[in-house]
Every structure is written in C-alpha cells, then in structure tokens.
Amino acid sequence: VIANVFFKGELSNTMHVIITLVIVSATTAISLSYDCLGIVLELNGVLSAIPLMFIFPAACFLKLSDNRWFRGENLIPSIILVAGVCVMIIGLIMMVLFPQDCSHGAEMFYCSVSNTSVPSTTLPNS
C-alpha cells in the first residue's frame, strides 16, 4: 500500500526492507511505551473485527446480488450489514464516552487476589 500510494507502485528491495523496518520499529516502540492494551483491543475490535465479520461479507453479497437489498434472499445480509454498522458506531461512541482508566505500573483490577473465578483446589485441614 505504501509503495502504491507514495512510490507509484515501484519499490526496490532495499526500500521495501527499510520501510518494513520503520513500520515494525515504530509499532514496537509504541507498544513498549504503553502498558494499557484496553484501548488497542477496543480499536482493533471496533475498526477491524466488526467490519471483517459483519459489514464486508454482507456488503459483498449485496453488491453481487441482482435483487433489491430488502427483498427475498437479501433480507438477512441487509440486517447483518445494518447491525454491524450500528455495533461499530455504538462501539466507537462507547470507547470515547467511557475511556479505560489505566496508569503506568498500577495493578489492574483483574489481577487482584480477591478476583478469583476458579475455586481453590486445596483441601481443608480436618
């Protein structure tokens, strides 16, 4: 994509390696400097997973279909498409309105001893 956008599709092997190293180095530096991955997972889910699971397949099916969107076999893909767009918009709104509270070095709530979901396997003393 970078080669097509900035270099008109012509990219030497050396430039390919340099651009790849810059992208990998930048993402590694960002990920090492930030310890709260909640926002990353939220963005990934809202902007990548939902379109890949709901929006793109339904939109491709509707584009290739000859019938109207809300007729016959296109009714279910239309509902899935609309639901996917709604979930994506609501997810973005919720992410902005209710940001996660993260602080560097603080223990997250799910790591505390009181938050146990697995029962103890030790036997009581008799």
Side-chain angles (χ1 to χ4, degrees):
V1 171
I2 290 174
N4 288 334
V5 171
F6 296 111
F7 302 106
K8 298 179 183 172
E10 298 176 13
L11 197 63
S12 68
N13 286 341
T14 306
M15 282 301 293
H16 176 76
V17 169
I18 290 171
I19 290 173
T20 303
L21 285 175
V22 167
I23 292 171
V24 170
S25 300
T27 55
T28 302
I30 292 169
S31 67
L32 290 176
S33 65
Y34 196 68
D35 62 348
C36 182
L37 295 178
I39 188 75
V40 175
L41 295 174
E42 288 175 359
L43 279 172
N44 187 30
V46 168
L47 298 177
S48 297
I50 291 173
L52 280 175
M53 289 184 342
F54 297 107
I55 298 172
F56 295 152
C60 289
F61 182 85
L62 292 171
K63 179 69 176 171
L64 295 174
S65 178
D66 294 332
N67 298 334
R68 292 190 164 253
W69 282 32
F70 295 102
R71 302 275 179 166
E73 68 178 10
N74 292 345
L75 182 60
I76 299 296
S78 297
I79 293 170
I80 292 172
L81 177 71
V82 170
V85 170
C86 289
V87 168
M88 189 171 85
I89 291 170
I90 291 169
L92 283 171
I93 291 171
M94 295 294 287
M95 191 177 67
V96 171
L97 292 179
F98 303 105
Q100 289 202 354
D101 185 27
C102 290
S103 60
H104 184 69
E107 187 172 305
M108 301 304 287
F109 70 91
Y110 48 80
C111 295
S112 67
V113 177
S114 64
N115 185 14
T116 57
S117 59
V118 179
S120 176
T121 57
T122 60
L123 295 173
N125 293 335
S126 313

